[in-house]
Amino acid sequence: MTADLVITGGRLFTADPTRLFVDALACDGGRIVALGEEALTSVGPGTEVVDLNGALATPGFIDAHVHPASSGLDRLRLHFEGCDDAVSAVTRVGEYARAHPDLTWIIGAGWQQSWFAGGRPSRELLDSAVSDRPALVVNTDGHGAWANSMALELAGIEPTTPDPPDGRIERDERGAAQGTLHEGAVRLVERHAPPDTVDDMVAGLLRGQEELLRYGMTGWQDAIVDQRIHEAYLRVAGEGKLVGRVVGAMWWDRARGLEQVDELLDRRERGAPGFRPMSVKLMLDGVAENFTASMLTPYLIEGGVPGGSSGIDFIDPGELREVVATLDAHGFQCHFHAIGDGAVRSALDAVEEALTRNGPKGNRHHIAHIQVIHPDDVPRFPALGVTANAQPLWACNDDYQVELTRPFIGEERYRWQYPFGSLLAVGARLGMGSDWGVSTCNVMKEIHVAVTRVCPDGGAPLVIEQALDPVDALTAFTAGSAYINHAEGDSGSLAVGMLADLAVLDRDPLREGAFRDVEVTKTIVGGEIVHEKS
Ligand SMILES: [Zn+2]
């Protein structure tokens, strides 16, 4: 037998514990046909041979929580890549506004809270960059936005305007909007801006896919698939341009109730080759940095004493139990966003209730983000069959952690953050994702933090005891995420019969013991090289 493609000249990490490394792999017709010695015998005149030159190849990475369409679209608009403070951010906005005189609104994304005092940029500062049109720019984690005066006026936000139940308007001493909006309050302004179209989302998805392939991602779970993004996937797949293998998590509209289940059932039938909309995204809380993550006990205020707020439950925990039991009965996977220990517990309670009512359905519910987990809840992950979906890049002492989180959650909860090691120790399943564009989708930087708990630019480790073994981290970003996507029979590990989806690295980080600066040189999907580092 002659293979299409043979990879040799280094090691391949298989993510298959029965044979963790092989030194050659052959594929034909898009699937793996041989490993090791046997692969080498399948080299014929028409075989393309990839020489690893001593580097490592891995299964294609699978991003279990990512936003390719919206983040790709952000990259095509005003964004803040390369900015590092308030001054450079304001300059960027001004340049973009001048370069786009035809736009009726200035829409953008990607600024960081740490660039502004208290994480709250003011309307006046944005006015200084653009004052002739409304402007609304979302921050890098998507949980807040910065609006100029014209946008706030258009939205009719006055000192008497109440905060929405799922968000907060930052205010000045007189109660007027200060310029920063949190969570649901962003909608108050956003709904006046021109909506994104399916065409926009198609362009965004293609741009996003490019970014993911560049970092070796061959599959993913899109963590927010609304109607437009759904249409965009169908169109891109229909045109044969969807390269990655995708599961879609359809957005649960928390302003509506169980009546939307029929719609989700209809949408589940509308998949395409490479796109399976079989999951439902339930956003349970916000983020710790703006005190909207739902905690079991209150946040601390000045002087380290407990204040009055424990964050926000976006979905009432009682209602959540009904929703999850219903979705589970219909065979949907639930993809939870939970940051605070309160939100994590609500998710686990809801899955427990579903299990009691429906019995085990094998829907592979998973909780993304898992920033703070109460120690009592760690063993409940394996007990309830819930997969932990980690965004490892966040598990370090970055500015968000040091300035905006640790002082307000206190030392005990500081130590309960991102307990990946404890989860594995009790037998939980672990998948990984980047949450791009909130964070980079550079998998090697993600794994660097997972194994060192130190930020890519240095610093002290965050709860070093929770650091992962490199093999466990690589396994989580491949086989672990494949399990979440119900795809482990096809991808996430290298074995005969599996799809030939791989990432080729520029060195062997397992031998060198360092991941941070490793680059992906080739991304292979179904035996085809779909990205090559130039
Ligand atoms: Zn996300």
Side-chain angles (χ1 to χ4, degrees), residues 82-376:
C83 295
D84 52 10
D85 58 12
V87 174
S88 55
V90 170
T91 305
R92 178 69 55 85
V93 178
E95 284 167 1
Y96 181 85
R98 278 192 297 282
H100 296 86
D102 51 315
L103 293 177
T104 55
W105 276 71
I106 297 300
I107 301 288
W111 56 272
Q112 299 205 16
Q113 286 181 280
S114 51
W115 299 342
F116 304 94
R120 297 182 297 265
S122 72
R123 60 198 281 176
E124 292 84 3
L125 192 59
L126 192 53
D127 290 344
S128 74
V130 53
S131 57
D132 60 339
R133 284 164 282 173
L136 182 70
V137 278
V138 176
N139 72 10
T140 188
D141 64 24
H143 292 268
W146 179 21
N148 72 355
S149 296
M150 201 182 274
L152 293 164
E153 275 157 33
L154 252 168
I157 298 176
E158 314 240 313
T160 53
T161 306
D163 285 343
D166 59 350
R168 199 171 80 246
I169 302 166
E170 283 290 342
R171 298 167 194 270
D172 62 19
E173 322 71 61
R174 295 168 296 111
Q178 167 271 355
T180 304
L181 304 165
H182 301 289
E183 307 292 346
V186 179
R187 283 292 303 147
L188 301 176
V189 174
E190 197 179 53
R191 63 182 182 219
H192 298 274
D196 299 330
T197 63
V198 174
D199 286 347
D200 290 334
M201 287 306 178
V202 166
L205 176 54
L206 291 171
R207 173 69 184 82
Q209 174 170 266
E210 222 174 80
E211 188 85 2
L212 292 174
L213 293 175
R214 195 174 133 206
Y215 290 108
M217 233 73 95
T218 58
W220 59 85
Q221 184 160 142
D222 190 315
I224 299 182
V225 176
D226 63 12
Q227 297 271 9
R228 282 163 308 186
I229 293 177
H230 198 136
E231 292 302 324
Y233 273 106
L234 296 181
R235 199 191 293 175
V236 170
E239 291 172 0
K241 294 177 185 160
L242 186 62
V243 178
R245 309 181 195 278
V246 185
V247 165
M250 296 181 283
W251 181 246
W252 179 263
D253 181 354
R254 56 187 184 252
R256 297 163 67 202
L258 289 172
E259 74 279 4
Q260 64 190 299
V261 171
D262 283 343
E263 219 171 274
L264 295 172
L265 285 165
D266 285 344
R267 285 177 59 196
R268 185 167 64 182
E269 299 306 312
R270 300 180 59 232
F275 176 64
R276 294 178 294 153
M278 58 194 285
S279 185
V280 175
K281 169 74 174 294
L282 297 148
M283 184 133 171
L284 303 192
D285 66 346
V287 290
E289 297 85 34
N290 64 11
F291 316 125
T292 56
S294 174
M295 296 289 182
L296 292 169
T297 51
Y299 288 95
L300 308 182
I301 51 174
E302 293 303 321
V305 297
S309 166
S310 306
I312 306 178
D313 285 312
F314 289 170
I315 302 173
D316 169 77
E319 187 191 338
L320 182 69
R321 284 199 287 274
E322 287 303 316
V323 170
V324 172
T326 305
L327 291 171
D328 180 68
H330 283 294
F332 285 109
Q333 173 186 80
C334 294
H335 176 161
F336 300 96
H337 161 121
I339 297 261
D341 52 4
V344 172
R345 183 165 291 176
S346 295
L348 293 168
D349 289 348
V351 171
E352 188 168 352
E353 171 87 20
L355 205 57
T356 308
R357 284 200 217 172
N358 306 332
K361 301 267 294 172
N363 293 326
R364 305 187 180 181
H365 307 304
H366 54 113
I367 307 179
H369 308 331
I370 47 170
Q371 178 165 351
V372 183
I373 306 181
H374 189 284
D376 292 350

Side-chain angles (χ1 to χ4, degrees), residues 65 67 223 281 369 435 438:
H65 181 112
H67 308 280
K281 169 74 174 294
H369 308 331
D435 205 4
V438 173

